[in-house]
Amino acid sequence: MLKLVTCIKQVPMVSELPWDAKTGTLKRELAEGMMNPACKHALEAALLLKNRHGAHITAISMGPPMAEEVLREAVAMGADRGILLSDYPMAGADTLSTSYTLARAIEKECPDFDLILSGCYTNDSETAQVGPQLLEELNIPGATFVDQFEIKGNTIRMNRTVDEYLEILEMDLPGLITVSTHQYNPRYASLSGVEDAFNRADITRLGIDDLGIEPEMTGIKGSATRILDVYSPTTEKKNDVITGSPKQIVEELFAKYDDKIGSAIGKDLKDYE
Amino acid sequence: MDFNPCMKHKMVRKTVREFAEAELGPIANDIDRQASFPWEVIEKMRPLNFFGLQIPKDYGGAEMDSISYAITIEELSRVCAAIGLCVTVHNSVGAYPIQLFGTEAQKKRFLPPLACGERIGAFCLTESNAGSDAGGVETSAAPEGDDYILNGTKIFVTNGGVCGIALIFANIENSGPRPESRVFIVEKETPGFIVGEIEDLCGMRANPVSSLFFEDCRVSSKNVLGGSIPGLRIGLTALDTGRIGIAAQALGIAQGAFDASVRYSKERQQFGKPISSFQTIQNYLAEMATQIDAGRLLLYRACALKDEEKPFSAEAAMAKLYCSRVASEVTGLGVQIHGGYGYSKEYDVERYFRDAKVTEIYEGTSEVQRMVISRSILTQLT
């Protein structure tokens, strides 16, 4: 039976949240949480595999204690087990220390996995980094933004859209894919599933001692990046009036804007001089 | 005493809300106008256990607690009360009496098709001369060998037009001056089971409420619910549970009207400002929110008592009495906040306003609820 791991993140349900200026992180406690949409698509892809071929699905998440909600939701939808990585030293992690922590937990709890599925990016920070960093940490092959895939034997064949092209890739398992939101529309959890997710679900909560990792390697201490500032971009419109004879106007227009016009029409205008 | 919803109840709300908004939201006004029953949505609801909310897992249900049940009905009704009605009647008075009073054979035979929604349930007590007076039932059951022959007419049957299994209250013929009543489990294919025309009602129009006629309808004695249990006892017990469902439904309608009104009051501009900046509108919103909250607390208390297997009849009656009144008042204020648009079918609040009224009437009128409540007060030992 296939052994699948889906990485799931809880994200705030609203788009605009107060920012903690001291730590440069979101004040998540002020919002209701939800399962990150792309993670939900990844979970759906795993559930389809389970329906077709039979599979054991472990949903794993790192986050505050309330992230347990999304693991229970994953179980309600059909995952078999949930693992929550939650510990004070894990707080404030960037993508590097998140993927480090996830990797150590997967090595410990699901060492014989066949495939890890994660969302292609999260709605709250949109870095799309955790998937690729995780496969580096685990030293396994992977592909990102996978639209559709199928598994035959020990091989996974994937479709992904790159610019305007459809790319078909194959790789050996074990591996990792990040799933796009183009296919695999998530199912609704059944009400019986919700009951089971609370009455008989297997949810494990692990801290740094359980994983045997040093506090310096995780959370804000293990992070290589710091968010210095976050603000909503402001845009303004300015009219630029060019006067003169038609020839002068055209020359001045091109002198000022040839880069922008060129990029808009996809040609380098300097080639035409 | 903990007033915070637990993680499970939050998830039940989220799960049902997500479904209702996505699947019922876009069609709620259309099915109301066309008075059509949305089989395609029912099809999607079946595997999600909407038709087996409290039925035990062994029979294919979700085995939910009563607060989860109330939340489910609330959230469906917040978007589409007619479907909230279909689900609550099916579960509370269609399936629950079989779960509670049925013999093992009856449970095994009837609960699985009800739980998976393959068959929709209905409860048939009301007749032209019987309603609040449940003792006035005239439908008769004449014993004949191992069978009974049913004759009579039931009116205002919720789910009547789509039910697959109906619970029929009838009096055993020639059973003396105070006739013995029984509840019969009747499948719609039974010869003599005739569905009347769909009623043209003010609200809940997507629910096919109809009359059911029984003309020499032969039913096996195996279908007498609970064997010799008096029908009135089954009926009154079922209605206690039914009231929780209707209170939840009324609350959902009120919440839907309230949410629409908050949104509208922030968008609608008059005198150069959103109308939510005017104190009158703020007072309306405050009043609506307070009533809804109070109703919700009454309702969840009744549910908690039921789950603790304590008496909850008076509390369920209080919740039904109050929540249905709240539904009428809040939807009325909702229309008022919307002004002329609120009186137009273009806005949901018009539908909520029409749907609300019947919650004060069916499954025990408000007057009957007061009777139940006062009886419980006056019979208490002091």
Side-chain angles (χ1 to χ4, degrees):
Chain A
M1 188 163 48
L2 281 169
K3 290 197 170 55
L4 308 175
V5 177
T6 58
C7 302
I8 283 167
K9 187 180 183 187
Q10 187 181 43
V11 295
M13 211 178 274
V14 286
S15 54
E16 286 178 36
L17 268 183
W19 204 259
D20 189 331
K22 281 186 195 158
T23 61
T25 52
L26 281 170
K27 287 185 179 173
R28 290 175 195 279
E29 68 279 5
L30 296 180
E32 285 282 311
M34 64 171 192
M35 193 188 297
N36 177 55
C39 299
K40 221 170 180 176
H41 284 255
L43 175 62
E44 177 61 32
L47 292 170
L48 283 176
L49 278 180
K50 182 178 173 178
N51 293 352
R52 281 178 201 153
H53 309 291
H56 182 276
I57 303 174
T58 301
I60 187 165
S61 184
M62 181 169 128
M66 80 178 209
E68 182 190 326
E69 277 177 20
V70 290
L71 292 175
R72 295 213 183 259
E73 190 179 350
V75 172
M77 288 171 72
D80 298 282
R81 185 190 175 196
I83 299 175
L84 176 63
L85 310 177
S86 188
D87 204 352
Y88 186 71
M90 294 177 187
D94 72 353
T95 57
L96 183 72
S97 69
T98 299
S99 49
Y100 171 83
T101 313
L102 283 172
R104 299 297 85 79
I106 291 170
E107 281 168 348
K108 182 167 186 296
E109 296 290 320
C110 326
D112 52 352
F113 66 87
D114 296 296
L115 181 65
I116 300 174
L117 303 97
S118 79
C120 53
Y121 59 82
T122 57
N123 275 27
D124 56 350
S125 48
E126 293 199 34
T127 64
Q129 290 168 359
V130 170
Q133 288 175 350
L134 183 55
L135 65 91
E136 288 295 331
E137 280 285 348
L138 292 167
N139 197 24
I140 51 172
T144 57
F145 289 83
V146 171
D147 292 332
Q148 219 171 357
F149 65 90
E150 57 181 42
I151 292 178
K152 274 192 186 146
N154 198 37
T155 308
I156 177 169
R157 177 181 276 233
M158 302 157 285
N159 292 356
R160 64 196 290 264
T161 315
V162 185
D163 296 328
E164 290 166 29
Y165 301 97
L166 174 70
E167 199 171 73
I168 299 173
L169 304 172
E170 266 187 7
M171 70 177 183
D172 286 343
L173 298 177
L176 179 149
I177 59 171
T178 78
V179 180
S180 78
T181 52
H182 297 160
Q183 304 277 336
Y184 303 119
N185 282 330
R187 66 194 61 194
Y188 296 108
S190 74
L191 294 169
S192 174
V194 173
E195 277 294 319
D196 286 349
F198 286 89
N199 298 337
R200 47 193 99 175
D202 177 6
I203 306 275
T204 317
R205 186 169 156 180
L206 302 175
I208 58 165
D209 291 342
D210 303 303
L211 299 178
I213 57 176
E214 295 302 318
E216 287 71 31
M217 298 298 288
T218 186
I220 201 158
K221 284 187 183 165
S223 296
T225 56
R226 292 282 181 279
I227 294 165
L228 299 180
D229 196 7
V230 174
Y231 53 91
S232 297
T234 52
T235 52
E236 59 183 83
K237 213 164 141 184
K238 210 175 83 185
N239 291 328
D240 193 356
V241 180
I242 304 172
T243 52
S245 69
K247 188 168 184 291
Q248 285 170 326
I249 292 171
V250 170
E251 277 172 4
E252 195 179 333
L253 178 74
F254 276 92
K256 276 184 168 174
Y257 294 109
D258 65 347
D259 283 352
K260 286 182 181 163
I261 296 168
S263 64
I265 61 173
K267 284 176 183 166
D268 190 346
L269 295 180
K270 292 191 175 64
D271 295 346
Y272 293 85
E273 276 172 7
Chain B
M1 197 178 283
D2 186 1
F3 289 101
N4 293 313
C6 66
M7 197 186 275
K8 180 176 87 173
H9 292 147
K10 276 164 70 182
M11 194 176 294
V12 170
R13 189 179 298 283
K14 193 167 152 271
T15 305
V16 181
R17 181 170 293 194
E18 199 177 292
F19 178 85
E21 287 183 346
E23 305 292 341
L24 290 167
I27 60 162
N29 279 338
D30 289 344
I31 59 175
D32 172 75
R33 268 186 234 184
Q34 296 154 11
S36 65
F37 188 69
W39 280 111
E40 66 289 352
V41 181
I42 299 296
E43 196 60 50
K44 293 182 186 173
M45 292 170 83
R46 284 171 170 156
L48 304 178
N49 311 106
F50 280 101
F51 293 94
L53 296 175
Q54 292 200 280
I55 295 175
K57 293 221 173 231
D58 289 347
Y59 301 103
E63 209 172 329
M64 291 171 118
D65 61 89
S66 297
I67 294 181
S68 297
Y69 172 72
I71 291 171
T72 303
I73 302 304
E74 219 183 301
E75 288 299 327
L76 289 175
S77 306
R78 178 178 162 270
V79 178
C80 181
I83 297 308
L85 174 63
C86 167
V87 173
T88 190
V89 163
H90 167 94
N91 280 283
S92 67
V93 289
Y96 189 66
I98 300 178
Q99 184 181 328
L100 205 61
F101 295 104
T103 61
E104 195 47 46
Q106 289 170 340
K107 289 186 205 176
K108 277 192 178 140
R109 181 170 160 207
F110 297 112
L111 287 180
L114 285 166
C116 69
E118 179 194 317
R119 298 207 153 223
I120 292 177
F123 175 86
C124 310
L125 177 64
T126 303
E127 297 181 2
S128 52
N129 293 317
S132 294
D133 176 11
V137 163
E138 288 168 358
T139 298
S140 65
E144 198 180 291
D146 263 354
D147 301 333
Y148 287 88
I149 311 296
L150 300 187
N151 276 291
T153 302
K154 297 291 180 181
I155 62 168
F156 294 133
V157 180
T158 302
N159 295 344
V162 292
C163 69
I165 291 176
L167 301 185
I168 315 296
F169 285 76
N171 289 325
I172 308 277
E173 217 169 67
N174 303 323
S175 55
R178 293 194 55 164
E180 285 179 39
S181 64
R182 293 286 183 275
V183 175
F184 294 84
I185 311 169
V186 188
E187 290 163 295
K188 72 165 182 205
E189 301 79 13
T190 315
F193 181 121
I194 299 156
V195 179
E197 279 199 20
I198 306 301
E199 301 284 350
D200 190 11
L201 301 176
C202 162
M204 305 285 181
R205 295 181 57 80
N207 192 299
V209 175
S210 74
S211 294
L212 294 182
F213 303 103
F214 298 92
E215 292 178 3
D216 292 329
C217 180
R218 182 180 289 271
V219 180
S220 159
S221 58
K222 287 180 191 156
N223 289 26
V224 181
L225 180 55
S228 57
I229 299 173
L232 210 57
R233 198 182 131 208
I234 295 175
L236 295 179
T237 311
L239 284 173
D240 281 342
T241 304
R243 277 161 198 156
I244 285 181
I246 301 302
Q249 184 193 38
L251 197 63
I253 296 171
Q255 186 71 53
F258 174 73
D259 292 346
S261 301
V262 171
R263 260 195 322 273
Y264 182 81
S265 71
K266 287 179 176 173
E267 288 162 13
R268 171 72 171 167
Q269 300 265 337
Q270 288 288 275
F271 306 104
K273 299 182 210 173
I275 62 169
S276 62
S277 65
F278 302 131
Q279 198 174 30
T280 304
I281 302 296
Q282 291 168 359
N283 286 346
Y284 285 163
L285 294 175
E287 184 61 36
M288 292 158 89
T290 307
Q291 289 192 12
I292 291 169
D293 225 19
R296 190 167 282 131
L297 292 173
L298 270 178
L299 171 62
Y300 292 175
R301 179 188 60 168
C303 293
L305 286 170
K306 180 167 184 270
D307 286 339
E308 289 163 22
E309 296 181 0
K310 290 180 179 159
F312 66 96
S313 183
E315 289 78 4
M318 284 180 188
K320 201 260 180 190
L321 171 68
Y322 188 74
C323 290
S324 59
R325 187 201 298 159
V326 167
S328 285
E329 288 184 15
V330 164
T331 54
L333 284 173
V335 170
Q336 199 66 26
I337 289 172
H338 282 70
Y341 290 116
Y343 202 62
S344 146
K345 288 195 187 297
E346 219 178 296
Y347 282 79
D348 293 345
V349 74
E350 184 268 348
R351 172 168 51 87
Y352 291 126
F353 182 63
R354 280 185 290 109
D355 286 346
K357 183 61 200 173
V358 74
T359 64
E360 293 182 278
I361 298 170
Y362 56 27
E363 298 213 23
T365 59
S366 293
E367 291 72 16
V368 165
Q369 306 308 323
R370 289 188 183 93
M371 212 163 81
V372 172
I373 298 161
S374 63
R375 205 176 275 160
S376 118
I377 297 166
L378 297 172
T379 54
Q380 264 170 18
L381 298 174
T382 49

